[in-house]
Amino acid sequence: MAGRGSGPEFVESLARGLDVLRAFDQHHREMSLAEVASSTGLARPTARRLLLTLEELGYVRSVDGAFSLTPKVITLGTAYVASLGLWEVARPHLEALVRQTGESSSMAQLDGSDIIYVARVSVPKIIALRVDIGTLFPAPQTSQGKVLLAALSRDELDRVLAIPSRSGLPPYIGATREGLDEELTTVRARGWALADEELAPGVRSIAVPVRDGDGTVRAAMNVTVHAAETTTDHLLDAHLPKLLRAAGDVSADWARWQSRPHHETAREEDTASPGG
């Protein structure tokens, strides 16, 4: 992975440190020094220095020679969400939607050909797949992914789908590019997407877009149910109207948040700082 930078200001050591963090995933929660070096293509002494630096910074821990990420890594992702104001704006609407439906609700954005969860309010139900902030799933197999893919131009869609998934999940057997294109056309026309046990058996969800102040689709918001408990008809009739209202409220509040004067934003950040 190293050596891919070409610009005069490219910092190779920073890129290598990020490579080390990305080496860990759901299938590699703990790795030895040798495994990290092999996964990143780094020399063992370099991988060791990076791991020890990340450990000192609190992003990595080591026990008996096995390295793993710490929860502090989540702050790297939530900082991005916070910078958009998305989580701050979405939280009360997600919580209200969950109270109304009794089902879990999440927000996701595109990350290559995957979706990445950036906000979630869940209910204690047994579901086939565990979902946390930062979880990756293949976009074409999810309702949120279909909404986000439908918002892309043809060229953007081709580019995104050409990127290999980093989710670790196998491709959906029943999917074809022609079928996906037809479904995305339908999603664009009706404004919502359904994923019916495509991601995993028993997982059924519906999603709608969340837009920024310019009307651009920046995220998708969903309601997820257990297929054995909730029919598709009930999901569409009972939950979709509530989801559409909640996503519309998030979009409106987000647009207002983005339109705040710069001096107001700066004053809020100063107030929120430790010395404020």
Side-chain angles (χ1 to χ4, degrees):
M1 294 184 186
R4 68 290 204 188
S6 58
E9 306 300 328
F10 186 83
V11 181
E12 185 64 45
S13 58
L14 174 59
R16 288 172 173 172
L18 294 174
D19 286 342
V20 169
L21 291 177
R22 285 194 293 264
F24 296 89
D25 57 27
Q26 60 181 333
H27 303 295
H28 303 88
R29 298 182 184 277
E30 292 187 350
M31 288 194 289
S32 65
L33 171 59
E35 289 171 330
V36 172
S38 176
S39 177
T40 58
L42 297 171
R44 285 178 60 129
T46 301
R48 179 177 179 275
R49 288 196 300 272
L50 291 169
L51 284 166
L52 293 179
T53 298
L54 290 168
E55 183 176 19
E56 188 169 341
L57 292 172
Y59 294 108
V60 168
R61 67 166 61 93
S62 63
V63 178
D64 297 329
F67 293 90
S68 61
L69 300 182
T70 72
K72 187 176 180 180
V73 172
I74 295 174
T75 63
L76 298 176
T78 54
Y80 168 68
V81 178
S83 71
L84 296 175
L86 186 53
W87 174 232
E88 176 185 344
V89 168
R91 183 200 301 268
H93 299 292
L94 283 171
E95 292 174 344
L97 181 61
V98 169
R99 287 194 299 270
Q100 293 168 19
T101 64
E103 305 289 355
S104 297
S105 181
S106 306
M107 293 186 66
Q109 295 178 297
L110 273 182
D111 184 0
S113 62
D114 297 314
I115 61 167
I116 183 168
Y117 281 75
V118 297
R120 179 167 173 81
V121 176
S122 61
V123 295
K125 290 190 176 184
I126 297 176
I127 203 76
L129 291 173
R130 177 174 175 173
V131 178
D132 299 302
I133 292 177
T135 295
L136 294 169
F137 287 138
Q141 294 171 233
T142 68
S143 59
Q144 296 187 92
K146 293 174 186 179
V147 165
L148 295 168
L149 294 175
L152 301 178
S153 68
R154 180 71 189 194
D155 289 344
E156 290 173 327
L157 181 62
D158 291 340
R159 178 182 58 79
V160 164
L161 293 180
I163 301 172
S165 171
R166 296 188 295 114
S167 68
L169 295 179
Y172 180 47
I173 297 176
T176 65
R177 178 57 193 272
E178 181 180 0
L180 177 62
D181 287 342
E182 291 178 359
E183 185 168 11
L184 295 182
T185 298
T186 301
V187 171
R188 292 186 196 101
R190 69 188 181 190
W192 53 268
L194 175 72
D196 194 358
E197 300 190 82
E198 297 167 42
L199 186 62
V203 179
R204 178 175 289 151
S205 70
I206 194 166
V208 300
V210 174
R211 303 175 186 274
D212 65 11
D214 297 323
T216 303
V217 175
R218 296 295 187 184
M221 185 172 175
N222 80 345
V223 170
T224 302
V225 300
H226 198 296
E229 297 178 351
T230 306
T231 66
T232 300
D233 286 343
H234 185 75
L235 184 59
L236 296 176
D237 295 340
H239 297 333
L240 178 57
K242 299 181 178 69
L243 176 61
L244 286 167
R245 284 194 296 272
D249 290 341
V250 172
S251 297
D253 285 354
W254 195 13
R256 283 191 288 270
W257 188 91
Q258 291 178 309
S259 66
R260 293 177 305 167
H262 176 72
H263 66 81
E264 179 182 333
T265 305
R267 185 168 61 251
E268 289 182 3
E269 291 174 350
D270 290 342
T271 302
S273 66

